[in-house]
Amino acid sequence: MSKFTPAESLDWSPFKIGTTLKPRPLNSIEGIVDRIRIAAFAERQAHYAFLEAARIFANEVPEDLVQAWKTIAMEEAKHESWLLKRLVEINHDVAEFPVGVGLYNSFCKCQSPREFTFYISDSEEKGRLAGLKFVEALKSRDPESARIFSDIAFEELDHISLASKYF
């Protein structure tokens, strides 16, 4: 049984939780909005996962790793805020379409600090690479969203490096 707080006990507002819909084409403003929303929600899920790991595995890892997880959780919240602010700037509601908690639930399956660290590192790398693809796709059409995705991708490198630093 997972020691992680169940997803239904966490505050996901202002997101609308439900069955995730397929993102609309990236060549439309709606498609850009979908990706911003999905990325913002991934950041929220990672935020909670890092906080939960710091709580659950605190007695199994060095204190500096616990502190790193807490710091990264705050960085994930910062990334989410950048993306949510961008949605406001382009006049779109984050709750327009539902998002799912599958990513968070996948983190909850991790049974050890090592497993969690490698699993979330891999997830962060996948998100970073997707973000870089968005940068290329958006840089001429929506340079501000492209800049945000680029900044996030750069900061994710430090998060990803924890696996090799500690394990």
Side-chain angles (χ1 to χ4, degrees), residues 28-160:
S28 68
I29 186 64
E30 295 82 9
I32 294 169
V33 167
D34 289 348
R35 275 125 184 119
I36 293 171
R37 179 185 307 105
I38 290 165
F41 194 61
E43 298 291 345
R44 171 73 67 88
Q45 292 175 88
H47 166 79
Y48 281 140
F50 279 113
L51 289 178
E52 287 292 290
R55 178 182 66 80
I56 294 165
F57 302 125
N59 295 326
E60 301 175 48
V61 297
E63 178 59 27
D64 58 328
L65 178 55
V66 172
Q67 290 308 311
W69 282 337
K70 290 177 180 179
T71 298
I72 291 172
M74 296 306 105
E75 290 174 1
E76 300 291 6
K78 175 183 69 173
H79 297 163
E80 176 193 4
S81 73
W82 291 348
L83 293 161
L84 292 178
K85 180 178 181 242
R86 184 66 184 141
L87 284 177
V88 170
E89 291 169 354
I90 59 177
N91 200 29
H92 281 271
D93 180 11
V94 69
E96 178 183 7
F97 285 98
V99 290
V101 293
L103 180 62
Y104 177 80
N105 287 334
S106 71
F107 296 138
C108 293
K109 294 176 184 172
C110 295
Q111 297 296 311
S112 71
R114 183 179 195 284
E115 180 184 6
F116 171 79
T117 303
F118 279 101
Y119 190 85
I120 202 162
S121 176
D122 184 58
S123 295
E124 296 253 291
E125 176 64 6
K126 288 175 184 171
R128 187 184 75 79
L129 294 174
L132 292 175
K133 287 181 184 177
F134 298 150
V135 169
E136 288 304 309
L138 299 175
K139 65 183 175 186
S140 62
R141 177 147 190 234
D142 183 353
E144 181 58 19
S145 294
R147 183 196 61 76
I148 292 167
F149 277 108
S150 178
D151 290 350
I152 291 170
F154 177 76
E155 290 192 7
E156 296 291 359
L157 288 171
D158 283 341
H159 307 178
I160 293 163

